[in-house]
Amino acid sequence: MSRQRVALFFVFLMVGWLCAAPVVAAAPASSVGDTAGVDDDVGSEADSTAIDDNAPTSPAFDSLASGDTADTGDATSHGHVTQDHDDENEPVDHLVREPAGSVGFDTPLGVDSVGTDTAASLSTGDSPLQASSQDEIRLTTTLDRTPSRVGTFTATLEVRIPDRVTELTARLPEDADVQRTRGFSRDSGTSYTWDGNTSRPTITYEMPADQRANREGPLADDGRLLFTETSDWALVRIPQASISGRYTGTPEPALNRRTQIDGSGAAGERIAFLGEHTVRTHRAHGQTFRLVVPEDARLRESPSEIFSSLASASDRLRVGDRDSEVFAVAAPSRNVNWAVRGLQTGSADMWVQDSERLADPANVWIHEYVHTRQDYRAAEDFQWFTEATATYYAALLTLEEGRIDFEQFAEFMRRGEGSPQASARLTRPSTWENFAEYRKGALVSGEIDRQIRVASNGEASFDDVFADANSHSGEMRARDFERSVGNAGDSAVRDEATRYTTTSDVPRMWNSEAHAEAFGGLDPARFSFTLADSGVSVSGPDREETLGDDPFELAVNETLRVTMEIQNVGETAGDYTLTFRVNDSETPHTGRLEPGASETHQFSHTFTEPGEYVVSVGDETFTVVVGEDESDSDAGLIGDAPEPPDIDVDAPGFGVVTAATGIAALLALLVAGRFRRH
């Protein structure tokens, strides 16, 4: 009996010690802040990630003159380079995940392009994931001209919210004038919070149609308008709303943005035309060109000729970033004071005045199209490249089409020799005068192109440098440009490129004989990168099959295989580099092909973590949604296992008391059992 009393005394002593110890509890999870894109109220930096749709994945430079700034804050000026990129109107979306029954951690929501269905949800079938439009957050913006009030247009935002989204806040553009709401209540400023019950809440608001810019630059016109409305039609920038909120489960709900017109009209990703019109469509080289011709437009060129020029440029520019669709509007020029002759914004939206000619070295149709093919983040010392290449290729491709002669081309290019633009240091925007990035930049680009062609015996050209910029990971800097020039040409050409871009030295326009020597022979090697017939497939422990439409759904530890066909469509032999990207990781493949020859190469990547991935190779870009491997996941759990919670010694709670009681009870049972056995 004395030993039993000692044991019981020991048990109660342990209980007393544990109950007297400081109480330890998991720190509470933070909630989502009220304003989209603001992280202060979303938790610690380790626990939350903002998705910033402002990152310039595709430079949205327009043909605004250098140094233009819009009166309404529509453009941001970097030195003398103007970007058609409105920070206030761009969406910044942020959602966080709430794992059921545990302390959660934040998970970002991806941002998808207009009209792209990329939703995915856990499947109950054989596949680990199954695309479902019911599991996406769909933002549909309906535009209405409201012709009784010229100068403003109406936008109605409808949000279709899946069941597992628990909180949602929409933030409208700063100049939105809200007229009515359903299922939303105003939070602060232009932020509106969902009531949690209405399945398709709406916000109807008015926006000013006019957006203005200062009138300067080589492609400037006599007025100040970038977008406007008349009594018969409107050409507007599509307003963008941002969202923030919470959801449960995995994977994260996809975000799908769509635009529709109430009445006659047509919409791209960032530009919409409201009014009577016709739409002409042309397909070439993997691209669909949609040309909107308003009823009031008086096209100087026929749609067929415009398509011919654009298709020729599409084929000729083998530089990557070939969008599947290009949306173009022939903007009526009668009685409209446009600030510019053309404008490009978003990934591949543009408008060009209906009076523009194709037989012009400035060829605005091609200038704006070249902007759609630029896909890089330019550091300050590389910003000149954007307008320089649009200007140079507009002139060169128009010459190659036979729409202008060499003397017209040379006269246009000689503008780079003039003062004061000739003395500008292209890598230093603060030195640009008289549109140096257009004028000197185009001349320097052309001279480097000529030297590369000569040094490589026609196997390479400035196209290779352009392609390298588009495929570059991270910011493209002057040193990256110089390295690319050296790779395409040789060290001597690289040194010349450095001299012309970093000093006040300027090349002289070459003559027709030098042009014929460099450009008049065989076309340099140009490569086509397309999906092979076997396309995209998946292999894993439970399946091996060809995949269907984007997005592709895989499970953890499955392998994606992408087979590409590479063809040399030029007239000389040449080297190529084809890069396979999965988010930030890169796998390059190099080779060499004779003219007309082709080969295939297969890339593969095994996904070891769930999530949404962007995969790109050549001109192909698609989304891969990776879900949990059901064989490895615990029954009844959705999504990743939660991170261990932070420990706060001073926080009140009962977690340890409960544990101490359990330990004490267990010890008591063990001791009692031991004495029964004895």
Side-chain angles (χ1 to χ4, degrees):
M1 182 64 71
S2 61
R3 292 179 59 193
Q4 200 170 19
R5 287 176 178 171
V6 170
L8 289 173
F9 173 77
F10 172 76
V11 169
F12 287 119
L13 180 64
M14 288 293 295
V15 172
W17 175 78
L18 288 170
C19 290
V23 177
V24 182
S30 300
S31 60
V32 177
D34 295 326
T35 304
V38 179
D39 299 337
D40 296 340
D41 298 322
V42 189
S44 68
E45 291 184 3
D47 291 337
S48 65
T49 304
I51 295 300
D52 187 354
D53 199 22
N54 293 330
T57 57
S58 176
F61 289 76
D62 61 17
S63 290
L64 287 174
S66 192
D68 288 356
T69 52
D71 293 348
T72 56
D74 300 315
T76 55
S77 178
H78 299 271
H80 289 272
V81 172
T82 299
Q83 296 180 340
D84 176 35
H85 187 75
D86 185 354
D87 291 339
E88 292 185 358
N89 286 336
E90 292 294 310
V92 182
D93 302 305
H94 188 98
L95 290 191
V96 295
R97 180 163 60 88
E98 296 181 313
S102 64
V103 177
F105 55 96
D106 298 344
T107 301
L109 177 77
V111 179
D112 302 308
S113 298
V114 174
T116 302
D117 295 323
T118 57
S121 63
L122 288 179
S123 171
T124 57
D126 297 332
S127 177
L129 289 172
Q130 178 180 355
S132 170
S133 61
Q134 300 302 313
D135 196 46
E136 69 183 8
I137 300 174
R138 178 175 296 177
L139 280 70
T140 301
T141 300
T142 302
L143 305 180
D144 183 6
R145 273 195 57 224
T146 58
S148 61
R149 298 186 304 281
V150 175
T152 63
F153 65 96
T154 299
T156 297
L157 173 67
E158 179 188 82
V159 186
R160 192 178 72 179
I161 304 172
D163 291 341
R164 61 193 185 94
V165 172
T166 59
E167 299 176 11
L168 189 139
T169 297
R171 182 169 64 88
L172 306 178
E174 294 300 324
D175 47 357
D177 182 9
V178 175
Q179 303 297 302
R180 57 187 177 275
T181 63
R182 181 172 62 85
F184 278 109
S185 59
R186 185 173 180 272
D187 184 5
S188 62
T190 58
S191 293
Y192 287 77
T193 300
W194 174 46
D195 62 12
N197 297 315
T198 308
S199 61
R200 295 193 179 189
T202 62
I203 308 174
T204 299
Y205 57 98
E206 292 185 351
M207 290 287 295
D210 287 0
Q211 295 188 18
R212 303 173 182 272
N214 295 329
R215 180 180 55 84
E216 291 181 5
L219 293 185
D221 209 337
D222 294 333
R224 300 188 64 195
L225 293 170
L226 300 176
F227 296 95
T228 193
E229 182 181 24
T230 71
S231 58
D232 297 318
W233 54 266
L235 182 59
V236 300
R237 189 197 302 268
I238 298 171
Q240 303 292 323
S242 304
I243 64 167
S244 63
R246 285 184 175 274
Y247 65 95
T248 60
T250 58
E252 59 260 22
L255 179 65
N256 184 351
R257 295 180 182 274
R258 301 186 176 200
T259 302
Q260 60 187 30
I261 311 299
D262 185 1
S264 181
E269 178 188 359
R270 290 290 185 265
I271 294 176
F273 178 81
L274 313 179
E276 298 300 323
H277 68 287
T278 58
V279 177
R280 302 289 297 270
T281 302
H282 182 76
R283 293 176 178 84
H285 312 294
Q287 292 191 288
T288 298
F289 297 91
R290 291 175 60 205
L291 176 62
V292 178
V293 183
E295 190 176 75
D296 280 5
R298 299 293 182 267
L299 274 175
R300 187 158 185 175
E301 306 284 357
S302 68
S304 61
E305 283 298 308
I306 293 171
F307 285 142
S308 175
S309 190
L310 290 172
S312 175
S314 174
D315 181 41
R316 170 64 176 77
L317 285 177
R318 303 281 175 159
V319 297
D321 190 42
R322 183 182 279 154
D323 297 277
S324 60
E325 181 172 302
V326 176
F327 179 81
V329 179
S333 56
R334 291 184 304 163
N335 303 319
V336 181
N337 295 318
W338 293 118
V340 289
R341 295 163 61 182
L343 178 146
Q344 191 275 321
T345 185
S347 298
D349 284 10
M350 66 188 202
W351 66 254
V352 176
Q353 287 194 40
D354 58 2
S355 57
E356 286 299 322
R357 296 182 301 117
L358 294 169
D360 182 347
N363 196 336
V364 181
W365 291 99
I366 301 303
H367 183 109
E368 304 306 341
Y369 173 73
V370 173
H371 280 316
T372 73
R373 301 295 299 275
Q374 296 167 336
D375 185 24
Y376 50 80
R377 285 195 298 120
E380 183 176 296
D381 58 10
F382 190 66
Q383 288 178 359
W384 65 273
F385 188 86
T386 298
E387 292 299 346
T389 50
T391 304
Y392 170 59
Y393 278 104
L396 179 67
L397 300 186
T398 303
L399 172 66
E400 291 179 351
E401 274 195 272
R403 296 183 185 275
I404 58 174
D405 58 29
F406 178 77
E407 287 307 316
Q408 290 174 291
F409 171 74
E411 182 181 1
F412 179 78
M413 295 289 287
R414 284 193 192 98
R415 300 179 312 161
E417 300 177 12
S419 181
Q421 62 267 24
S423 60
R425 292 166 171 79
L426 291 176
T427 56
R428 294 176 56 189
S430 61
T431 69
W432 298 350
E433 292 186 74
N434 201 25
F435 324 114
E437 73 276 32
Y438 291 81
R439 293 172 174 169
K440 180 178 179 178
L443 181 58
V444 168
S445 298
E447 175 61 14
I448 296 172
D449 191 8
R450 187 189 70 81
Q451 291 191 25
I452 289 174
R453 291 167 184 259
V454 172
S456 65
N457 294 318
E459 290 191 6
S461 69
F462 200 68
D463 297 14
D464 298 274
V465 180
F466 196 158
D468 280 353
N470 278 343
S471 64
H472 185 74
S473 179
E475 271 195 329
M476 185 75 178
R477 299 182 178 277
R479 62 174 179 267
D480 304 312
F481 166 75
E482 294 163 7
R483 184 185 306 113
S484 179
V485 170
N487 291 338
D490 55 26
S491 59
V493 182
R494 181 198 62 210
D495 293 343
E496 287 287 272
T498 301
R499 178 164 71 93
Y500 290 139
T501 57
T502 63
T503 74
S504 59
D505 291 352
V506 64
R508 296 298 175 187
M509 178 60 201
W510 57 96
N511 58 30
S512 58
E513 290 77 12
H515 189 85
E517 178 188 357
F519 295 84
L522 298 175
D523 286 340
R526 294 184 289 121
F527 296 94
S528 169
F529 305 113
T530 57
L531 279 174
D533 292 339
S534 53
V536 183
S537 61
V538 60
S539 63
D542 301 321
R543 61 171 178 159
E544 186 155 345
E545 61 188 33
T546 300
L547 295 176
D549 296 332
D550 179 14
F552 303 124
E553 294 84 32
L554 276 70
V556 167
N557 296 323
E558 287 191 326
T559 299
L560 181 78
R561 303 188 189 281
V562 181
T563 305
M564 299 294 293
E565 181 176 357
I566 305 105
Q567 182 179 12
N568 184 351
V569 297
E571 297 177 331
T572 65
D575 301 316
Y576 70 84
T577 299
L578 178 60
T579 302
F580 178 72
R581 291 184 177 79
V582 180
N583 284 356
D584 294 331
S585 69
E586 296 185 355
T587 304
H589 169 70
T590 60
R592 182 176 178 84
L593 287 175
E594 295 297 317
S598 63
E599 63 185 12
T600 60
H601 180 77
Q602 186 179 84
F603 295 96
S604 63
H605 183 88
T606 301
F607 295 89
T608 59
E609 298 291 338
E612 185 172 301
Y613 299 82
V614 177
V615 177
S616 63
V617 56
D619 291 332
E620 306 291 336
T621 299
F622 39 83
T623 301
V624 174
V625 181
V626 180
E628 290 282 9
D629 186 341
E630 293 181 352
S631 62
D632 295 335
S633 61
D634 295 329
L637 293 180
I638 297 177
D640 305 329
E643 296 284 356
D646 295 330
I647 302 300
D648 184 352
V649 174
D650 296 325
F654 301 97
V656 175
V657 174
T658 304
T661 304
I663 293 172
L666 178 61
L667 287 172
L669 289 173
L670 290 174
V671 171
R674 180 176 181 85
F675 283 120
R676 279 196 298 270
R677 285 195 295 272
H678 285 279

